[in-house]
Amino acid sequence: VMISVEAARRFVEQGETAASAFPNVLVAVTTTIHDDQLEWWYPDREVDLVRDFQPDIYLPCDRPVYAGDRPAERRDTIRRYLNDLADVTDRLSDMPVAIVPLVKGVTESERRQCYQTFRDLGFDRWAYYCAQYFLYGNRGEALVQDVHSVVQEGSPRGLVLVGLQSGSYLSRMPAEVFAAAGKRWIDQSNLRNDALDMQQIQRHYGTWKRHIENILDGGQTRLSDYVSSGVIAYGD
């Protein structure tokens, strides 16, 4: 299961860890949250959160980088993001947490800064945030092209997509995409349908989950170190 860093903070405030909140489940925490919430977070707080919550996987230090930003602003944001990533990685080196860095950048040259730092830090499995492609209309075609570009440019061992669980788009992704996190599972399981009991909801979810797993199993690199199946449910 993947939850936001904000949700993880609420669990910590209630005295929970990842293991107590989600027994026998692999837990990922992501910083891909609203920009106004991100302003509260910085390396010290992120490190404290991981030490207190003890997730299995962490997507740290997200920083907003938009095509509408000036190139100099994007470069500065990416530079600060990579510095924070290196800081967090070093300070969590004694923790049994798998860090999955986020690829940032609008242009290839911007993204290559990320690829180089990821290699320097020893990361060959990365994450890519997809939700922004659907905030104002549907830019799914651009997303497919951009994910292929990331794989061709950076040659990651594996890539997890955050904010995308559409089977039609996942089926067109490169083989390096091994997992997808998002909130589509809520609708696909009919979780909010009060007319259904939990067993019916679980059956709906299981059917949908197998469909997505079959898509992700179509030659994709599977990262058994991180997940036992290709689908990561995502939600608070």
PDB file of all heavy atoms in Angstrom, residues 82-103:
ATOM      1  N   LEU A  82      17.781  17.591  -5.759  1.00  0.00           N
ATOM      2  CA  LEU A  82      18.832  16.577  -5.759  1.00  0.00           C
ATOM      3  C   LEU A  82      19.738  16.709  -4.544  1.00  0.00           C
ATOM      4  O   LEU A  82      20.213  15.709  -3.993  1.00  0.00           O
ATOM      5  CB  LEU A  82      19.634  16.662  -7.056  1.00  0.00           C
ATOM      6  CG  LEU A  82      18.840  16.303  -8.323  1.00  0.00           C
ATOM      7  CD1 LEU A  82      19.689  16.556  -9.571  1.00  0.00           C
ATOM      8  CD2 LEU A  82      18.355  14.859  -8.290  1.00  0.00           C
ATOM      9  N   ASN A  83      19.988  17.940  -4.090  1.00  0.00           N
ATOM     10  CA  ASN A  83      20.765  18.136  -2.868  1.00  0.00           C
ATOM     11  C   ASN A  83      20.024  17.546  -1.663  1.00  0.00           C
ATOM     12  O   ASN A  83      20.631  16.886  -0.810  1.00  0.00           O
ATOM     13  CB  ASN A  83      21.042  19.620  -2.637  1.00  0.00           C
ATOM     14  CG  ASN A  83      22.074  20.184  -3.590  1.00  0.00           C
ATOM     15  OD1 ASN A  83      22.854  19.439  -4.187  1.00  0.00           O
ATOM     16  ND2 ASN A  83      22.083  21.494  -3.755  1.00  0.00           N
ATOM     17  N   ASP A  84      18.717  17.790  -1.596  1.00  0.00           N
ATOM     18  CA  ASP A  84      17.916  17.241  -0.501  1.00  0.00           C
ATOM     19  C   ASP A  84      17.879  15.714  -0.565  1.00  0.00           C
ATOM     20  O   ASP A  84      17.946  15.037   0.466  1.00  0.00           O
ATOM     21  CB  ASP A  84      16.490  17.788  -0.555  1.00  0.00           C
ATOM     22  CG  ASP A  84      16.406  19.246  -0.136  1.00  0.00           C
ATOM     23  OD1 ASP A  84      17.385  19.758   0.446  1.00  0.00           O
ATOM     24  OD2 ASP A  84      15.361  19.875  -0.392  1.00  0.00           O
ATOM     25  N   LEU A  85      17.763  15.173  -1.780  1.00  0.00           N
ATOM     26  CA  LEU A  85      17.740  13.721  -1.953  1.00  0.00           C
ATOM     27  C   LEU A  85      19.033  13.102  -1.429  1.00  0.00           C
ATOM     28  O   LEU A  85      19.009  12.089  -0.708  1.00  0.00           O
ATOM     29  CB  LEU A  85      17.541  13.373  -3.424  1.00  0.00           C
ATOM     30  CG  LEU A  85      17.647  11.888  -3.787  1.00  0.00           C
ATOM     31  CD1 LEU A  85      16.524  11.094  -3.141  1.00  0.00           C
ATOM     32  CD2 LEU A  85      17.613  11.712  -5.307  1.00  0.00           C
ATOM     33  N   ALA A  86      20.172  13.698  -1.783  1.00  0.00           N
ATOM     34  CA  ALA A  86      21.454  13.182  -1.314  1.00  0.00           C
ATOM     35  C   ALA A  86      21.554  13.270   0.203  1.00  0.00           C
ATOM     36  O   ALA A  86      22.063  12.345   0.864  1.00  0.00           O
ATOM     37  CB  ALA A  86      22.599  13.957  -1.964  1.00  0.00           C
ATOM     38  N   ASP A  87      21.043  14.356   0.770  1.00  0.00           N
ATOM     39  CA  ASP A  87      21.060  14.544   2.227  1.00  0.00           C
ATOM     40  C   ASP A  87      20.229  13.472   2.920  1.00  0.00           C
ATOM     41  O   ASP A  87      20.692  12.800   3.861  1.00  0.00           O
ATOM     42  CB  ASP A  87      20.526  15.946   2.548  1.00  0.00           C
ATOM     43  CG  ASP A  87      20.578  16.261   4.034  1.00  0.00           C
ATOM     44  OD1 ASP A  87      21.337  15.600   4.770  1.00  0.00           O
ATOM     45  OD2 ASP A  87      19.857  17.188   4.457  1.00  0.00           O
ATOM     46  N   VAL A  88      18.998  13.286   2.462  1.00  0.00           N
ATOM     47  CA  VAL A  88      18.103  12.300   3.068  1.00  0.00           C
ATOM     48  C   VAL A  88      18.668  10.889   2.916  1.00  0.00           C
ATOM     49  O   VAL A  88      18.625  10.081   3.854  1.00  0.00           O
ATOM     50  CB  VAL A  88      16.696  12.401   2.438  1.00  0.00           C
ATOM     51  CG1 VAL A  88      15.840  11.193   2.804  1.00  0.00           C
ATOM     52  CG2 VAL A  88      16.007  13.685   2.879  1.00  0.00           C
ATOM     53  N   THR A  89      19.201  10.601   1.731  1.00  0.00           N
ATOM     54  CA  THR A  89      19.760   9.275   1.486  1.00  0.00           C
ATOM     55  C   THR A  89      20.897   8.968   2.453  1.00  0.00           C
ATOM     56  O   THR A  89      20.974   7.877   3.027  1.00  0.00           O
ATOM     57  CB  THR A  89      20.271   9.176   0.042  1.00  0.00           C
ATOM     58  OG1 THR A  89      19.177   9.380  -0.864  1.00  0.00           O
ATOM     59  CG2 THR A  89      20.887   7.816  -0.231  1.00  0.00           C
ATOM     60  N   ASP A  90      21.778   9.934   2.657  1.00  0.00           N
ATOM     61  CA  ASP A  90      22.900   9.739   3.567  1.00  0.00           C
ATOM     62  C   ASP A  90      22.427   9.538   5.004  1.00  0.00           C
ATOM     63  O   ASP A  90      22.897   8.638   5.710  1.00  0.00           O
ATOM     64  CB  ASP A  90      23.840  10.941   3.482  1.00  0.00           C
ATOM     65  CG  ASP A  90      25.032  10.823   4.412  1.00  0.00           C
ATOM     66  OD1 ASP A  90      25.833   9.890   4.232  1.00  0.00           O
ATOM     67  OD2 ASP A  90      25.148  11.654   5.336  1.00  0.00           O
ATOM     68  N   ARG A  91      21.456  10.331   5.422  1.00  0.00           N
ATOM     69  CA  ARG A  91      21.011  10.276   6.812  1.00  0.00           C
ATOM     70  C   ARG A  91      20.126   9.070   7.113  1.00  0.00           C
ATOM     71  O   ARG A  91      19.930   8.721   8.272  1.00  0.00           O
ATOM     72  CB  ARG A  91      20.294  11.579   7.152  1.00  0.00           C
ATOM     73  CG  ARG A  91      21.249  12.764   7.157  1.00  0.00           C
ATOM     74  CD  ARG A  91      20.540  14.085   7.080  1.00  0.00           C
ATOM     75  NE  ARG A  91      19.768  14.367   8.280  1.00  0.00           N
ATOM     76  CZ  ARG A  91      19.006  15.445   8.426  1.00  0.00           C
ATOM     77  NH1 ARG A  91      18.925  16.319   7.428  1.00  0.00           N
ATOM     78  NH2 ARG A  91      18.340  15.644   9.533  1.00  0.00           N
ATOM     79  N   LEU A  92      19.629   8.429   6.070  1.00  0.00           N
ATOM     80  CA  LEU A  92      18.813   7.228   6.270  1.00  0.00           C
ATOM     81  C   LEU A  92      19.577   5.958   5.886  1.00  0.00           C
ATOM     82  O   LEU A  92      18.976   4.893   5.779  1.00  0.00           O
ATOM     83  CB  LEU A  92      17.526   7.315   5.448  1.00  0.00           C
ATOM     84  CG  LEU A  92      16.519   8.373   5.904  1.00  0.00           C
ATOM     85  CD1 LEU A  92      15.334   8.425   4.934  1.00  0.00           C
ATOM     86  CD2 LEU A  92      16.013   8.088   7.320  1.00  0.00           C
ATOM     87  N   SER A  93      20.871   6.078   5.703  1.00  0.00           N
ATOM     88  CA  SER A  93      21.651   4.928   5.231  1.00  0.00           C
ATOM     89  C   SER A  93      21.651   3.777   6.229  1.00  0.00           C
ATOM     90  O   SER A  93      21.895   2.624   5.852  1.00  0.00           O
ATOM     91  CB  SER A  93      23.093   5.361   4.934  1.00  0.00           C
ATOM     92  OG  SER A  93      23.723   5.881   6.108  1.00  0.00           O
ATOM     93  N   ASP A  94      21.366   4.055   7.491  1.00  0.00           N
ATOM     94  CA  ASP A  94      21.330   2.996   8.494  1.00  0.00           C
ATOM     95  C   ASP A  94      19.943   2.401   8.672  1.00  0.00           C
ATOM     96  O   ASP A  94      19.748   1.514   9.506  1.00  0.00           O
ATOM     97  CB  ASP A  94      21.814   3.530   9.842  1.00  0.00           C
ATOM     98  CG  ASP A  94      20.922   4.645  10.387  1.00  0.00           C
ATOM     99  OD1 ASP A  94      20.330   5.383   9.564  1.00  0.00           O
ATOM    100  OD2 ASP A  94      20.802   4.784  11.616  1.00  0.00           O
ATOM    101  N   MET A  95      18.981   2.878   7.893  1.00  0.00           N
ATOM    102  CA  MET A  95      17.596   2.404   8.003  1.00  0.00           C
ATOM    103  C   MET A  95      17.305   1.369   6.919  1.00  0.00           C
ATOM    104  O   MET A  95      17.758   1.511   5.782  1.00  0.00           O
ATOM    105  CB  MET A  95      16.620   3.568   7.839  1.00  0.00           C
ATOM    106  CG  MET A  95      16.604   4.552   8.992  1.00  0.00           C
ATOM    107  SD  MET A  95      15.744   3.867  10.432  1.00  0.00           S
ATOM    108  CE  MET A  95      14.062   3.734   9.781  1.00  0.00           C
ATOM    109  N   PRO A  96      16.508   0.339   7.233  1.00  0.00           N
ATOM    110  CA  PRO A  96      16.141  -0.669   6.222  1.00  0.00           C
ATOM    111  C   PRO A  96      14.968  -0.192   5.363  1.00  0.00           C
ATOM    112  O   PRO A  96      13.930  -0.841   5.278  1.00  0.00           O
ATOM    113  CB  PRO A  96      15.757  -1.875   7.080  1.00  0.00           C
ATOM    114  CG  PRO A  96      15.192  -1.265   8.323  1.00  0.00           C
ATOM    115  CD  PRO A  96      15.999  -0.018   8.573  1.00  0.00           C
ATOM    116  N   VAL A  97      15.146   0.956   4.725  1.00  0.00           N
ATOM    117  CA  VAL A  97      14.098   1.513   3.874  1.00  0.00           C
ATOM    118  C   VAL A  97      14.641   1.630   2.454  1.00  0.00           C
ATOM    119  O   VAL A  97      15.778   2.062   2.247  1.00  0.00           O
ATOM    120  CB  VAL A  97      13.619   2.892   4.394  1.00  0.00           C
ATOM    121  CG1 VAL A  97      14.759   3.889   4.456  1.00  0.00           C
ATOM    122  CG2 VAL A  97      12.481   3.434   3.536  1.00  0.00           C
ATOM    123  N   ALA A  98      13.850   1.226   1.481  1.00  0.00           N
ATOM    124  CA  ALA A  98      14.231   1.331   0.076  1.00  0.00           C
ATOM    125  C   ALA A  98      13.813   2.710  -0.436  1.00  0.00           C
ATOM    126  O   ALA A  98      12.619   3.030  -0.449  1.00  0.00           O
ATOM    127  CB  ALA A  98      13.564   0.232  -0.736  1.00  0.00           C
ATOM    128  N   ILE A  99      14.770   3.512  -0.818  1.00  0.00           N
ATOM    129  CA  ILE A  99      14.478   4.841  -1.352  1.00  0.00           C
ATOM    130  C   ILE A  99      14.298   4.739  -2.862  1.00  0.00           C
ATOM    131  O   ILE A  99      15.132   4.179  -3.563  1.00  0.00           O
ATOM    132  CB  ILE A  99      15.608   5.824  -0.996  1.00  0.00           C
ATOM    133  CG1 ILE A  99      15.601   6.086   0.517  1.00  0.00           C
ATOM    134  CG2 ILE A  99      15.462   7.129  -1.770  1.00  0.00           C
ATOM    135  CD1 ILE A  99      16.709   6.999   0.987  1.00  0.00           C
ATOM    136  N   VAL A 100      13.183   5.273  -3.338  1.00  0.00           N
ATOM    137  CA  VAL A 100      12.882   5.291  -4.776  1.00  0.00           C
ATOM    138  C   VAL A 100      12.770   6.756  -5.188  1.00  0.00           C
ATOM    139  O   VAL A 100      11.775   7.416  -4.875  1.00  0.00           O
ATOM    140  CB  VAL A 100      11.576   4.534  -5.089  1.00  0.00           C
ATOM    141  CG1 VAL A 100      11.290   4.560  -6.593  1.00  0.00           C
ATOM    142  CG2 VAL A 100      11.642   3.103  -4.583  1.00  0.00           C
ATOM    143  N   PRO A 101      13.769   7.307  -5.860  1.00  0.00           N
ATOM    144  CA  PRO A 101      13.753   8.731  -6.197  1.00  0.00           C
ATOM    145  C   PRO A 101      12.824   9.041  -7.364  1.00  0.00           C
ATOM    146  O   PRO A 101      12.590   8.209  -8.238  1.00  0.00           O
ATOM    147  CB  PRO A 101      15.206   9.011  -6.566  1.00  0.00           C
ATOM    148  CG  PRO A 101      15.696   7.714  -7.134  1.00  0.00           C
ATOM    149  CD  PRO A 101      14.999   6.638  -6.339  1.00  0.00           C
ATOM    150  N   LEU A 102      12.334  10.262  -7.360  1.00  0.00           N
ATOM    151  CA  LEU A 102      11.430  10.738  -8.403  1.00  0.00           C
ATOM    152  C   LEU A 102      12.212  11.436  -9.509  1.00  0.00           C
ATOM    153  O   LEU A 102      13.047  12.299  -9.235  1.00  0.00           O
ATOM    154  CB  LEU A 102      10.418  11.718  -7.815  1.00  0.00           C
ATOM    155  CG  LEU A 102       9.358  11.123  -6.891  1.00  0.00           C
ATOM    156  CD1 LEU A 102       8.893  12.150  -5.866  1.00  0.00           C
ATOM    157  CD2 LEU A 102       8.172  10.632  -7.720  1.00  0.00           C
ATOM    158  N   VAL A 103      11.946  11.061 -10.736  1.00  0.00           N
ATOM    159  CA  VAL A 103      12.531  11.754 -11.885  1.00  0.00           C
ATOM    160  C   VAL A 103      11.835  13.099 -12.035  1.00  0.00           C
ATOM    161  O   VAL A 103      10.607  13.172 -12.115  1.00  0.00           O
ATOM    162  CB  VAL A 103      12.364  10.936 -13.178  1.00  0.00           C
ATOM    163  CG1 VAL A 103      12.897  11.732 -14.372  1.00  0.00           C
ATOM    164  CG2 VAL A 103      13.070   9.595 -13.064  1.00  0.00           C
TER     165      VAL A 103
END
